[in-house]
Amino acid sequence: MILMSKNEAGTTDLEESGVTLSDARLVEDVRRGDKDAYGGLVTRYERRLIGVILRFVHETELSRDLAQETFLRAFERLDQFDPSRRFGPWLFRIGVNLALDYLRRRKRRGWTSLFSESASEKSPDPSTDDPRQEIDLRQEVQHVLEQIPEKYRKVLVLRDLENFSTSEIAAIENRKEATIRWRLAEARTRFQKLWEKRNLDQDVVDTFLGGEEFTDELS
């Protein structure tokens, strides 16, 4: 069983003579029978993997469970991993697919609380802006995202919410980078059109998409 770390400061033998071991070296060590080396990969990717999965399932404990399952599946399939490729994108591909499979099985819409965990039930502080306005705005964004097909929506979340580069997303999706750029441009265009159809503030689109032009990834 793959056990994830309980504290982020914990480390395994990620360093040797002061030099950080590469993913490739750790993978090779695991393949040679050093199962402890896999703990180094878990420590290296655990926090980011949980965060990415959380974007899709929106429940902290569930995201941890799915991350645990991701690491277990990756360990079981390590003999199928192509060492000429990067381990990280391969791991995230497994994790994202597990999250989406879970949502399909549950037949959930699955896109609530996209930006954070569920909002507090406490009454707003009168000295601050009413947080309910922000919650309403998030709900509008979520509603629009739900209408975008999965293959575009996934790229939009990974790029504009999780800040993966297009090359990293291409590796995660096992697609050509040109395909990812086209899907991203299409996703942004669809988001913008759906947002405009709801007669909502254009500034929100700019904020959500990082203030970039919708076609800049194609340049």
Side-chain angles (χ1 to χ4, degrees), residues 9 14 26 28 43 63 69 74 84 93 99 119 139 143 156 161 166-167 171 186 202-203 209 212:
L14 286 178
L26 290 170
E28 182 61 26
T43 299
S63 67
E69 186 175 351
S84 69
R93 184 190 315 158
Q139 290 173 343
H143 180 79
L156 192 63
L161 294 181
T166 51
S167 63
E186 179 67 15
Q202 173 63 31
D203 287 343
L209 300 178
E212 302 175 24

Side-chain angles (χ1 to χ4, degrees), residues 10-204:
T11 60
T12 56
D13 294 331
L14 286 178
E15 296 186 358
E16 183 176 68
S17 301
V19 178
T20 300
L21 299 182
S22 68
D23 287 356
R25 169 66 184 277
L26 290 170
V27 168
E28 182 61 26
D29 286 348
V30 177
R31 283 177 157 175
R32 288 177 176 172
D34 181 5
K35 294 184 179 180
D36 290 340
Y38 196 67
L41 294 167
V42 173
T43 299
R44 185 168 290 171
Y45 286 103
E46 177 186 357
R47 184 177 180 182
R48 185 79 191 276
L49 179 63
I50 291 172
V52 169
I53 292 174
L54 185 61
R55 291 290 191 184
F56 294 91
V57 301
H58 321 298
E59 298 174 31
T60 301
E61 287 307 311
L62 177 58
S63 67
R64 288 186 61 85
D65 289 343
L66 289 173
Q68 172 87 1
E69 186 175 351
T70 299
F71 283 118
L72 180 59
R73 289 200 183 188
F75 181 79
E76 293 172 342
R77 299 175 184 177
L78 208 57
D79 60 336
Q80 303 172 25
F81 173 65
D82 181 353
S84 69
R85 296 180 179 272
R86 291 177 293 165
F87 177 80
W90 181 71
L91 179 73
F92 285 115
R93 184 190 315 158
I94 295 172
V96 170
N97 286 339
L98 275 175
L100 293 174
D101 286 344
Y102 171 85
L103 293 176
R104 292 188 200 101
R105 288 195 305 269
R106 289 285 300 270
K107 296 182 179 179
R108 291 174 51 180
R109 299 180 75 182
W111 287 87
T112 55
S113 304
L114 182 66
F115 293 95
S116 64
E117 299 177 43
S118 56
S120 171
E121 297 285 335
K122 291 192 265 187
S123 300
D125 184 341
S127 66
T128 62
D129 293 336
D130 189 345
R132 289 172 295 186
Q133 296 178 359
E134 184 177 355
I135 293 169
D136 289 343
L137 182 57
R138 289 172 179 169
Q139 290 173 343
E140 291 289 353
V141 170
Q142 293 152 15
H143 180 79
V144 171
L145 279 170
E146 288 166 5
Q147 300 175 64
I148 299 175
E150 183 179 287
K151 67 179 180 180
Y152 303 120
R153 187 173 58 191
K154 182 162 49 170
V155 171
L156 192 63
V157 169
L158 291 175
R159 179 68 183 91
D160 288 334
L161 294 181
E162 282 298 317
N163 298 315
F164 283 97
S165 68
T166 51
S167 63
E168 288 172 328
I169 299 170
I172 291 170
E173 291 286 276
N174 198 24
R175 303 285 182 185
K176 293 181 179 179
E177 191 170 345
T179 300
I180 297 303
R181 292 186 184 211
W182 182 85
R183 286 186 181 180
L184 178 61
E186 179 67 15
R188 288 171 167 174
T189 298
R190 288 181 182 228
F191 186 96
Q192 183 179 36
K193 288 180 178 178
L194 288 166
W195 192 262
E196 290 173 347
K197 198 172 181 180
R198 293 174 68 80
N199 294 317
L200 296 168
D201 189 352
Q202 173 63 31
D203 287 343
V204 175

